Structures are given as structure tokens and as C-alpha cells.
């Protein structure tokens, strides 16, 4: 959201180019048009709404490069602020979004220059994580690693969806008046996920008000029982990969409601001449389990690419989580120094009587019993990959046998899913 007190940033680059942040609505409009040229008209609308109406964005999150000679915007990206919850810990995160450069200006390091500022902005924002949905491989050069499930899921043929006998449910599109119910249902479903997105009332209002005509537009279908009580919802994105009807979000559903939801989705798919239904949802939610039982095909998943600006800061924030895992394990009452060698730096976790009393960066050390390449430590901390899974791909992941159970206890595999906030 635009804020006149947010002083714009300006940095000269080579060849008459200037790295800038938005100074006002005129800059937002210029970059929105640029993004529309690069990514399509829906992205232009999304850009405008994100930086004029979204409750959490600020002008210095809106980064672009202009050619001073022509005044033309030639490259852009932005920081989209999120809050994740990791068990009971709120984790500020900054998505790197809407990245693009005009063809004539590529291979000049413009994205790299903007990423350098972006990472400074992450620190200003207090972000402990950064994430991006980006193209394969490219963002590894900026310290990003695949570490949370994103796109893919299950594909269900409409012919495999049975007709429920006298299903006592009806469906209608949500309105602004349904916001309290949507908030409650979302928060209940989020309890099933170790890592999920926090959505406050202002964010929900944004989703219901300012996403029409954008890349993140969704239909919000409410599920009602015979008494008119809302028992759940599904969100269907208008824009997505593939030709199927896609379900991108779901509340908790009982079996009968889930079966009725699939029948409603089948009707929508047939009406829209879609070749099937794709469920891009948490793996263990009822709708996914039911779809598997009906013969859905597993498409696998892509993943969010995650960057951790400061591992020490992240682990300090997660102290309550790590202490709780120790307390519920055979290591209850642990007194021990745990040294995690990330090759370029070593992190110290000092446990005293089960309490994590110190998290410190020891700098470069050698000869440690626990070693992870820094990028491969990210999926471990976020519970996306186990030590065993990482070792099967990366020989430089090394955990001495005497430490293996403790590392598995501190960093187990968990169920997580990140639903969008814009």
C-alpha cells in the first residue's frame, strides 16, 4: 500500500540506468504496464492492486530499473511481504515476485542488482525467509533452494467421480459478508499444517475485493448443509498451469461434504469443457485422500524456492519449536552443544537441561560431526526433506551416527502448505 512517508531509494547503475523504488502511484502504473508487457494483462492488474490496495506492501518493496535517457522501465521485481506460521512461531517472509527484464536489456546484471537491494530490504523488513515460485534452476544463483510443496498434486478424471446418494449439500459463491466464516474455516484447516500462511482480516478483504481480473483471481465456493450452515469451502484459481479445473485451496471437510464437493467440481468441469479435475492441495487433506481412493493420478509437485538470509536469526526464532521437539523425545532434559557445520559457517545450538540457551554463529570451523551444504540445510529446517533423503542426493551431507537421532528429532519431516495472500 502506498505510503508518502516511505522515502524512495535511488541507485545509479552503468550505461545510464537507474535502480529505483516507487515514489508514488505514477511509478506503480508505469511498472504495472511494463509487467503487463512482459507477463500479460492480468499481471498488470495484479501489480496495481498489490501496491495500491494490499495492506502490507510498501513503496520501497516495489523495485525497478529505468533507462534515464528514455525514461523507460526496463526491468523490475518486487518484495511481497507475508507472515508464515511455523507451529506457534510467526515468521516474517518476503516473496520475490513479478521478475522481468526487456529482451534488449538482458545479460547486463539488472536482476542481480535488484536482488542485492531486495536482500537489503528483506533485512529492513525483518524477514527471516524469502520465497519465489520462479522458473527452474535460475534462482539458485541467488541462494534459493526448493523447500516446500507448490504446484502439481492429483489429477482426477470426471468419470471417476461417483454421484453421492441424496447429498444434503448446496454450493454458492462467497461474498464479503462471508468473510468471518472464511477466516474461521481457514484457521481451522491451517492447524493441520506445521508451516502455513497467516491471513488476517485485511488480507482476506483484499482477496475478496482486489483480485478480480488479476493473475490470482479465484472463485470461492461455499459448501452448505441442509440447514444453510456453511461447512467448508473450495477456492478455484482462474489462472493456472494445465487445462483441468484446478482446486487451489480447501477447508477441512468431512467425507460426505468432500464427496459432494467433488460432484460439484465435476459439474463445473463438464460445464467448462475441462478434461478433468486437478487438486493442488496439502497431501493429507480429506479431498486429496478421497481423490486417491477414487483412482486419481499423482502428478508429483513442483516446489517453492526458499532463501534464508540469516540461519542464526531463523533458528533463534524457532527456539520454542526446537525445545518442544526435544522435550517430547528421548532427549528430554538434553544438555549438549550441537554444532551444525554449513561449510562456510558453523551454527551452535547450546542446550542446557532441555532449554536452548544459545544460538550462535561460530564462523568457519572444520571437523564437525554434522555437515550440510547451506542450501541443503533449508529443506531440512523446513521439514521438506529428511537427512536420509538429502544424503541420497548430496554426498556432502554428513551426519555422524551418534548424532543422527538427535538431528532427526530437531528437524523431522512435517506437513506444510503455503496458500497465497494476494
Amino acid at each position: 500500500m502506498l505510503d508518502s512517508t516511505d522515502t524512495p531509494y535511488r541507485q545509479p547503475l552503468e550505461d545510464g540506468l537507474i535502480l529505483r523504488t516507487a515514489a508514488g502511484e505514477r511509478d506503480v502504473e508505469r511498472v504495472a504496464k511494463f509487467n503487463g508487457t512482459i507477463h500479460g494483462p492480468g499481471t498488470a492488474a495484479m501489480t496495481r492492486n498489490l501496491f495500491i490496495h494490499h495492506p502490507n506492501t510498501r513503496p520501497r518493496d516495489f523495485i525497478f530499473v529505468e533507462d534515464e535517457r528514455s525514461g523507460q522501465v526496463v526491468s523490475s521485481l518486487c518484495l511481497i511481504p507475508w507472515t508464515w506460521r511455523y507451529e506457534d512461531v510467526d515468521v516474517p517472509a518476503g516473496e520475490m515476485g513479478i521478475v522481468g527484464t526487456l529482451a534488449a536489456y538482458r545479460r547486463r546484471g539488472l536482476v542481480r542488482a535488484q536482488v542485492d537491494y531486495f536482500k537489503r530490504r528483506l533485512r529492513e523488513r525483518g524477514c527471516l525467509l524469502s520465497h519465489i515460485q520462479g522458473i527452474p534452476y535460475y534462482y539458485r544463483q541467488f541462494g534459493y533452494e526448493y523447500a516446500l510443496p507448490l504446484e502439481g498434486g492429483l489429477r482426477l478424471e470426471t468419470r471417476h467421480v461417483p454421484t453421492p446418494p441424496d447429498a444434503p449439500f448446496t454450493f454458492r459463491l462467497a461474498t464479503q459478508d462471508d468473510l468471518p466464516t472464511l477466516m474461521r474455516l481457514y484457521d481451522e484447516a491451517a492447524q493441520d499444517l506445521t508451516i502455513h500462511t497467516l491471513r488476517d482480516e485485511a488480507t482476506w478483504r483484499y482477496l475478496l475485493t482486489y483480485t478480480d481480473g488479476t493473475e490470482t483471481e479465484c472463485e470461492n465456493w461455499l459448501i452448505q448443509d441442509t440447514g444453510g450452515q456453511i461447512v467448508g469451502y473450495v477456492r478455484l484459481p482462474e489462472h493456472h498451469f494445465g487445462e483441468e479445473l484446478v482446486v487451489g485451496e480447501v477447508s477441512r471437510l468431512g467425507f460426505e461434504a468432500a464427496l459432494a464437493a467433488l460432484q460439484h467440481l465435476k459439474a463445473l468441469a463438464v460445464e467448462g469443457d475441462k478434461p478433468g479435475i486437478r487438486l493442488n492441495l496439502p497431501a493429507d487433506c480429506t479431498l486429496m485422500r478421497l481423490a486417491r481412493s477414487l483412482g486419481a493420478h499423482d502428478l508429483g509437485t513442483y516446489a517453492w524456492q526458499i532463501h534464508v538470509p540469516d540461519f542464526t536469526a531463523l533458528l533463534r526464532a524457532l527456539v520454542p519449536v526446537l525445545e518442544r521437539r526435544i522435550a517430547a523425545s528421548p532427549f528430554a532434559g538434553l544438555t549438549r552443544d550441537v554444532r551444525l557445520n554449513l561449510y562456510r559457517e558453523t551454527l551452535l545450538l547450546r542446550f542446557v537441561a532441555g532449554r536452548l540457551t544459545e544460538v550462535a554463529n561460530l564462523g568457519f570451523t572444520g571437523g564437525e560431526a554434522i555437515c550440510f551444504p547451506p542450501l541443503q540445510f533449508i529443506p531440512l529446517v523446513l521439514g521438506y526433506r529428511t537427512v536420509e533423503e538429502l544424503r541420497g542426493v548430496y554426498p556432502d551431507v554428513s551426519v555422524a551416527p551418534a548424532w543422527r537421532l538427535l538431528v532427526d528429532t530437531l528437524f523431522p519431516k512435517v506437513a506444510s502448505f503455503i496458500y497465497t495472500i494476494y
Side-chain angles (χ1 to χ4, degrees), residues 65-177:
V65 175
E66 69 177 6
D67 191 323
E68 196 170 34
R69 294 160 295 193
S70 64
Q72 182 182 27
V73 175
V74 301
S75 185
S76 181
L77 58 81
C78 64
L79 187 157
I80 305 169
W82 298 50
T83 302
W84 294 3
R85 179 159 287 169
Y86 191 130
E87 292 191 6
D88 59 346
V89 174
D90 290 356
V91 178
E95 180 183 356
M96 186 191 298
I98 325 181
V99 182
T101 302
L102 289 178
Y105 289 82
R106 292 172 188 165
R107 300 187 180 276
R108 298 195 194 182
L110 300 187
V111 170
R112 184 172 296 279
Q114 291 173 92
V115 169
D116 287 345
Y117 171 78
F118 174 90
K119 289 183 176 180
R120 296 200 300 272
R121 185 62 177 160
L122 286 175
R123 292 191 291 272
E124 292 174 6
R125 277 282 200 165
C127 295
L128 299 176
L129 293 168
S130 176
H131 53 296
I132 188 168
Q133 302 184 40
I135 58 177
Y137 180 74
Y138 180 77
Y139 294 94
R140 288 183 187 275
Q141 65 183 307
F142 302 122
Y144 286 77
E145 180 56 83
Y146 293 95
L148 283 177
L150 172 60
E151 184 69 37
L154 301 179
R155 188 182 191 279
L156 183 63
E157 304 290 336
T158 54
R159 61 190 172 87
H160 290 158
V161 178
T163 301
D166 301 321
F169 298 98
T170 57
F171 295 81
R172 68 172 175 84
L173 291 171
T175 69
Q176 290 279 351
D177 293 338

Side-chain angles (χ1 to χ4, degrees), residues 23-64:
E25 196 163 331
R26 179 177 175 274
D27 284 337
V28 172
E29 181 59 30
R30 292 171 63 214
V31 180
K33 289 180 178 178
F34 167 81
N35 286 338
T37 299
I38 298 291
H39 303 290
T43 304
M46 181 176 70
T47 302
R48 291 186 192 99
N49 288 350
L50 262 175
F51 285 91
I52 294 174
H53 300 295
H54 197 281
N56 298 325
T57 56
R58 297 295 179 266
R60 283 172 66 92
D61 301 330
F62 197 50
I63 308 160
F64 63 99

Side-chain angles (χ1 to χ4, degrees), residues 20 65 115 197 217 223 267 277 292 341:
R20 294 185 49 200
V65 175
V115 169
T197 314
E217 180 178 2
I223 308 168
I277 301 165
R292 286 192 201 94
N341 183 357

Side-chain angles (χ1 to χ4, degrees), residues 365-408:
T365 70
E368 308 295 350
I370 304 169
C371 299
F372 287 89
L375 291 187
Q376 276 57 68
F377 191 54
I378 298 172
L380 183 79
V381 171
L382 297 183
Y384 184 65
R385 293 283 183 251
T386 64
V387 172
E388 193 63 33
E389 289 169 339
L390 291 167
R391 286 184 64 202
V393 180
Y394 300 100
D396 45 2
V397 170
S398 174
V399 180
W403 291 88
R404 178 64 182 276
L405 181 58
L406 179 55
V407 173
D408 288 344

